[in-house]
């Protein structure tokens, strides 16, 4: 599985951005695609994930209600719409996929994701 993230940029606090992840290669209906982020000096953390088939979603508490993850199976893309952005959302955002074997209760576990795209920088100014 190959992933390519795009859509980052600079935005003022309260603004919005849309990230896209192009997914190619072998995926199965149970494949999970997730977004993670890493701020300077911090560990990479879970943001949101979606099941390729069925569309089940999971969110980190810090973004729930502000971010929305969705997928377009026809275009093989997963999007992350980020609203009401805060300076603490500033980070490099990565999309990642698992091998299709992760049970849903493990969807937020970074260790379950073995395929990673390059990151895209999101900067939120105050």
């Amino acid at each position: 599985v190959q992933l390519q993230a795009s859509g980052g940029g600079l935005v003022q606090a309260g603004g919005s951005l849309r990230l896209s992840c192009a997914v190619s290669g072998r995926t199965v209906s149970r494949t999970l695609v997730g977004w993670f982020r890493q701020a300077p000096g911090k560990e990479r953390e879970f943001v949101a994930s979606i099941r390729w088939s069925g569309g089940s979603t999971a969110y980190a508490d810090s973004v729930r209600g502000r971010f929305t993850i969705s997928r377009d199976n026809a275009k093989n893309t997963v999007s992350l719409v980020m609203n009401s952005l805060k300076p603490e959302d500033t980070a490099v955002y990565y999309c990642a996929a698992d091998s299709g074997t992760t049970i849903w209760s493990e969807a937020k576990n970074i260790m379950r994701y073995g395929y990673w795209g390059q990151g895209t920088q999101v900067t939120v100014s105050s």
Side-chain angles (χ1 to χ4, degrees):
V1 179
Q2 294 81 45
L3 306 108
Q4 185 166 0
S6 62
L10 172 65
V11 64
Q12 288 188 331
S16 300
L17 277 176
R18 183 187 185 97
L19 304 183
S20 291
C21 179
V23 182
S24 60
R26 184 176 178 270
T27 58
V28 297
S29 61
R30 289 177 51 84
T31 294
L32 284 175
V33 178
W35 285 96
F36 295 79
R37 66 187 182 186
Q38 187 166 18
K42 295 187 176 181
E43 293 186 352
R44 194 170 299 186
E45 64 177 6
F46 170 81
V47 175
S49 66
I50 189 166
R51 184 80 79 182
W52 194 248
S53 176
S56 298
T57 58
Y59 295 94
D61 290 343
S62 59
V63 307
R64 186 175 291 111
R66 299 188 298 123
F67 291 11
T68 302
I69 189 171
S70 63
R71 89 267 189 253
D72 186 330
N73 296 88
K75 295 182 179 180
N76 283 353
T77 59
V78 172
S79 297
L80 183 70
V81 174
M82 306 184 293
N83 296 320
S84 303
L85 282 162
K86 305 174 182 180
E88 50 263 45
D89 294 317
T90 295
V92 178
Y93 283 70
Y94 300 88
C95 60
D98 81 327
S99 61
T101 62
T102 302
I103 58 175
W104 188 244
S105 60
E106 289 290 301
K108 299 180 180 181
N109 184 352
I110 191 172
M111 299 302 294
R112 299 298 306 177
Y113 293 80
Y115 304 94
W116 291 84
Q118 88 292 356
T120 184
Q121 177 70 46
V122 171
T123 303
V124 184
S125 63
S126 57

